[in-house]
Amino acid sequence: MNRPTLLPQLSSLVRRTPVRDGLGVGVAVGFSGLAFGTTAVTSGLSVAQACVLSLLAFTGASQFALVGVVAGGGNLVAGAVGALLLGFRNTLYGLRLGELLDWRGPGRALAAHGVIDETTAVALAQNGRADVRAGFTTTFATLFLLWNTTTLVGAVATESIGDPSTFGLDVVGPATFLALLWPRLREGGRTLVVALLGAAIALAATPLLPPGVPVLLASIAALIALGDGKDDATERSGK
Amino acid sequence: MMLWAAVVVTGVGCYLLKYAGLAAPRAVLERPAVRRFAMAVPVALLAALIALQTVADADRLVVDLSRLGGMAAAVVALLLRAPFLVVLVVAAATTAGLRALGVG
């Protein structure tokens, strides 16, 4: 009885711009959980640890950062601090989204888990509160489901093969970071300088300091961004 | 056990950072210096991680030609505007291929 009305309802829902945007981004990015599951197990995490990290942290760059330090045999405290430093940009996204979404209480506590790069990008591209909320929620739900499922699949698949490096899986982690960073690198200018300086600091410090610490030290390079404020206008209009 | 602690601390910490933003007074965002620094930190950290995971093993620098080849292939794929997952597959396949050939 429901069937004839349900399908048109579904298709009209999917045709709404924020829902379509959210599904598109969620599906495109969600499968990169495969890369995370693979990298996590290659680095020495168990399947359970990889899955719990995806469920709780649910922010790709921070997760990759922690397992990257684990892979290098690094200090776990330094690894966690590095991951949290990377997660700090979600605080900034939350500052912008808080006003737009305008959820309170339990709704806000739930929505907070979804404050990441992709949901922010989709939400900010919508007009009006209803569409902002729809875009945010669709992206969050799609991405959360896929990211966690594919983390599990990637982790289990990697665990079942003997030596992941035979398949070149040790390069998936750094290649993921490169792909994430690529759009920012193309901006050139000060962003490129920050990136090159960050890499140089980490490489120079590696023979001298315990693994994990050189990555933290690289955040000094971000101080360049504090300099003069002439990029302000472009940054505000560009985001 | 320590690894579990790191996983849980990172996970809970990442959530709290998100919640803090959503619940904080918006005045914090009005400081452009805070914003610029926080947007630049990931660039520096990600670049550092790329460099280290490509040419470092624990506390020493190494030249692993098959890994370098994989990263070079990733750059080419990105220049050709390949989709995200294609970039990763190209990188891993190149590294695996070079290793199979006995490089690095």
Side-chain angles (χ1 to χ4, degrees), chain B:
Chain B
M1 214 48 227
M2 280 300 293
L3 192 47
W4 265 118
V7 165
V8 172
V9 166
T10 301
V12 173
C14 282
Y15 173 78
L16 292 176
L17 283 171
K18 296 171 184 172
Y19 185 78
L22 216 49
R26 276 178 296 121
V28 186
L29 191 61
E30 304 301 315
R31 295 166 189 262
V34 172
R35 225 183 87 71
R36 279 205 305 273
F37 180 68
M39 296 315 282
V41 160
V43 174
L45 290 181
L46 290 175
L49 283 161
I50 294 167
L52 290 185
Q53 292 182 11
T54 306
V55 297
D57 264 329
D59 60 351
R60 60 197 185 91
L61 301 180
V62 293
V63 178
D64 180 333
L65 286 178
S66 51
R67 227 188 281 167
L68 284 171
M71 290 303 283
V75 170
V76 172
L78 285 164
L79 286 172
L80 294 173
R81 299 173 187 279
F84 186 71
L85 284 178
V86 173
V87 173
L88 305 189
V89 170
V90 165
T94 305
T95 298
L98 289 173
R99 255 184 213 136
L101 293 172
V103 177

Side-chain angles (χ1 to χ4, degrees), chain A residues 17-38:
Chain A
T17 309
V19 175
R20 209 180 45 212
D21 286 0
L23 283 173
V25 171
V27 169
V29 181
F31 282 97
S32 52
L34 282 173
F36 175 70
T38 296

Side-chain angles (χ1 to χ4, degrees), chain A residues 1-59:
Chain A
M1 203 45 207
N2 273 340
R3 236 161 243 283
T5 54
L6 189 65
L7 274 179
Q9 267 179 4
L10 260 181
S11 73
S12 71
L13 181 70
V14 169
R15 243 180 273 129
R16 275 187 66 193
T17 309
V19 175
R20 209 180 45 212
D21 286 0
L23 283 173
V25 171
V27 169
V29 181
F31 282 97
S32 52
L34 282 173
F36 175 70
T38 296
T39 305
V41 169
T42 309
S43 306
L45 266 73
S46 67
V47 172
Q49 283 165 337
C51 290
V52 167
L53 193 53
S54 273
L55 282 168
L56 290 181
F58 187 54
T59 177

Side-chain angles (χ1 to χ4, degrees), chain A residues 72-111:
Chain A
N75 181 306
L76 290 177
V77 174
V81 172
L84 293 176
L85 269 176
L86 278 171
F88 181 51
R89 72 188 187 292
N90 292 331
T91 308
L92 294 174
Y93 294 153
L95 286 171
R96 309 186 119 203
L97 285 178
E99 183 192 16
L100 287 171
L101 293 170
D102 198 32
W103 272 318
R104 309 272 150 191
R108 185 162 70 185
L110 182 65

Side-chain angles (χ1 to χ4, degrees), chain A residues 168-180:
Chain A
L169 297 184
D170 52 327
V171 88
V172 170
T176 302
F177 286 134
L178 185 64
L180 287 174

